[in-house]
Amino acid sequence: MDAYERITRNAAEVVTEEEVEALAEDPDGKRAYVGYEPSGVLHIGHLLTANKLIDLQEAGFEVVVLLADVHAYLNDKGTFEGIRETAERMKEQFLAYGLDEEATEFRYGSEFENDEDYVLDLHELERETSISRAERAMSEIKSGDTVRVSQAVYPLMQALDIEYLDVDLAIGGMEQRKVHMLARDVLPKAGHDAPTCLHTPLIADLTSGEGKMSSSSGVSISMEDSTEEIAEKVNDAFCPPSADPEGDLENPVLQIFEYHVFPRFEDVVVERPDEYGGDLRYGSYDALEADLDSGELHPADAKGALADYLDDLIAPGRERLRELREA
RNA sequence: CCGCCCUUAGCUCAGACUGGUAGAGCAGCCGACUGUAGAUCGGCUUGCCCCCCGUUCAAAUCGGGGAGGGCGGACCA
């Protein structure tokens, strides 16, 4: 797998391809970042971007994880003190999940976002941005139903973070694309470069296959789930024997195999009772998808395997979380 | 600063005029059927009716005060 292929695999979108190709020619020392509002428990959505960070580290990138404490504060997620503690826990779980500690730079937003230079630059972006544009950028991200001024400032700070963290590539889920497009528009107006962006797909809601999975509503798989809870949630998931369900629906079980399991495991064994033909082994996602779609692989067997592999992925973080809570 | 509107189940809302032990849809949960889930049947759960004070035998409902949210006006010298 060449660098470009590794950088872009499983990406829903890259802006722009030309810019990423240029980065891929000499990835060593290039910097990529993702910002997260601190959350005490990583869920499967966080892990999707984390998988991309691991890809980038393997391609030679330096990775910056922004623990966006100020953003969380602006988005009404609590006091600075509480957010800070939450962020520490989040960092530990990322390391337990498999980010390379040597190649990962964890930064708190509050380390630099309150500096005078930063604030003055931020004001310049505020002058260049309409309220409605900022609000639109936040529509997929904000919490609560009342739009506050803090939420208009929020995406502008995301834009400026890219500049201040000296990042070559901004990573985020597809829900971040409006923020990133705003950044590409507004940063040049303030004399900065437009950032190159890479967006990961959104996994469909587990139980319905509709839209995107949300940790705030509906079922999500997280680092605090026990082996039994994972098995139960996976078993309850929507999973027609099809790679492309009718309508706008997706098959979340396949999506998780594609975006979470195969990127981290060389091959996948599906244990299957002898009466149904015995175990199956897959070296690629495509092969598994084809078998499910054709009926060779029954959804129930696929779910059993998915729960086992997810549990393997989650176990180190779950253990770390337990240690942190006991400490 | 002033005025008007809203607040009832997890969500969207009915009920308020005319006081009498709180409802619908959706969601959720449980069963049946499927070697998974969904769909489809069958069943079930859910409430500080925003808060406080008052009137009354009795207040989600009437009166007063307050909070939160939305909208508008005024101000633009």
Side-chain angles (χ1 to χ4, degrees):
Chain A
M1 194 180 312
D2 69 15
Y4 181 80
E5 198 179 330
R6 183 172 291 280
I7 292 165
T8 59
R9 75 163 169 175
N10 286 341
E13 172 186 63
V14 136
V15 183
T16 62
E17 286 189 27
E18 291 72 21
E19 293 171 24
V20 174
E21 282 165 8
L23 290 174
E25 283 181 19
D26 182 21
D28 280 327
K30 292 292 193 305
R31 289 163 65 82
Y33 109 114
V34 186
Y36 300 99
E37 275 189 32
S39 158
V41 177
L42 293 194
H43 59 69
I44 198 165
H46 294 118
L47 301 184
L48 196 55
T49 44
N51 288 340
K52 180 47 63 189
L53 296 180
I54 292 170
D55 281 341
L56 292 167
Q57 286 177 338
E58 288 174 359
F61 271 72
E62 291 173 13
V63 160
V64 181
V65 171
L66 175 68
L67 301 167
D69 52 350
V70 178
H71 285 89
Y73 180 76
L74 290 174
N75 206 16
D76 201 25
K77 296 297 173 61
T79 64
F80 269 106
E81 195 175 297
I83 291 167
R84 190 86 185 202
E85 287 171 14
T86 302
E88 248 345 281
R89 295 234 301 277
M90 184 178 223
K91 173 181 171 182
E92 293 295 329
Q93 289 174 72
F94 272 126
L95 292 174
Y97 180 65
L99 284 187
D100 179 350
E101 186 160 12
E102 297 301 314
T104 308
E105 182 180 325
F106 287 93
R107 298 288 300 276
Y108 283 92
S110 53
E111 288 171 21
F112 61 93
E113 288 164 351
N114 298 320
D115 293 351
E116 184 174 342
D117 287 351
Y118 183 99
V119 172
L120 291 177
D121 271 356
L122 178 60
H123 289 333
E124 185 171 1
L125 298 187
E126 290 163 3
R127 285 195 298 111
E128 296 290 349
T129 308
S130 72
I131 285 280
S132 60
R133 181 70 199 273
E135 192 180 334
R136 203 148 45 86
M138 275 299 283
S139 61
E140 301 289 327
I141 299 159
K142 70 188 178 201
S143 67
D145 51 5
T146 302
V147 185
R148 297 205 159 76
V149 174
S150 58
Q151 291 171 333
V153 173
Y154 185 113
L156 297 177
M157 287 179 58
Q158 281 182 269
L160 205 52
D161 289 343
I162 295 167
E163 178 66 26
Y164 273 71
L165 291 171
D166 194 23
V167 165
D168 301 290
L169 181 63
I171 309 298
M174 277 296 277
E175 81 284 353
Q176 298 290 332
R177 77 182 307 279
K178 286 182 182 177
V179 172
H180 285 160
M181 295 309 148
L182 173 62
R184 286 180 65 88
D185 278 353
V186 75
L187 283 176
K189 291 177 181 172
H192 306 299
D193 292 333
T196 304
C197 309
L198 184 153
H199 301 138
T200 58
L202 302 177
I203 290 177
D205 180 78
L206 252 192
T207 54
S208 70
E210 296 167 348
K212 65 170 190 285
M213 188 187 295
S214 162
S215 55
S216 53
S217 68
V219 176
S220 182
I221 290 168
S222 79
M223 287 248 179
E224 63 185 357
D225 287 338
S226 67
T227 301
E228 295 73 25
E229 284 170 325
I230 290 172
E232 189 179 339
K233 287 178 179 181
V234 170
N235 184 52
D236 286 346
F238 177 70
C239 185
S242 163
D244 185 22
E246 290 178 22
D248 294 331
L249 299 177
E250 300 289 342
N251 188 321
V253 170
L254 283 179
Q255 287 182 322
I256 296 171
F257 267 114
E258 182 174 15
Y259 300 128
H260 287 283
V261 177
F262 280 97
R264 302 286 307 272
F265 295 92
E266 283 298 314
D267 51 16
V268 170
V269 175
V270 175
E271 295 178 12
R272 190 167 65 170
D274 289 340
E275 63 173 303
Y276 297 122
D279 295 356
L280 293 165
R281 177 180 295 270
Y282 297 99
S284 73
Y285 167 73
D286 287 343
L288 184 147
E289 179 192 290
D291 268 10
L292 187 100
D293 198 55
S294 72
E296 170 62 26
L297 171 62
H298 192 277
D301 296 322
K303 284 180 172 181
L306 181 61
D308 289 344
Y309 282 93
L310 269 182
D311 191 55
D312 281 352
L313 286 172
I314 299 260
R318 179 171 55 211
E319 176 63 15
R320 188 76 188 106
L321 200 56
R322 195 181 61 76
E323 290 168 9
L324 289 167
R325 281 183 174 153
E326 285 175 0

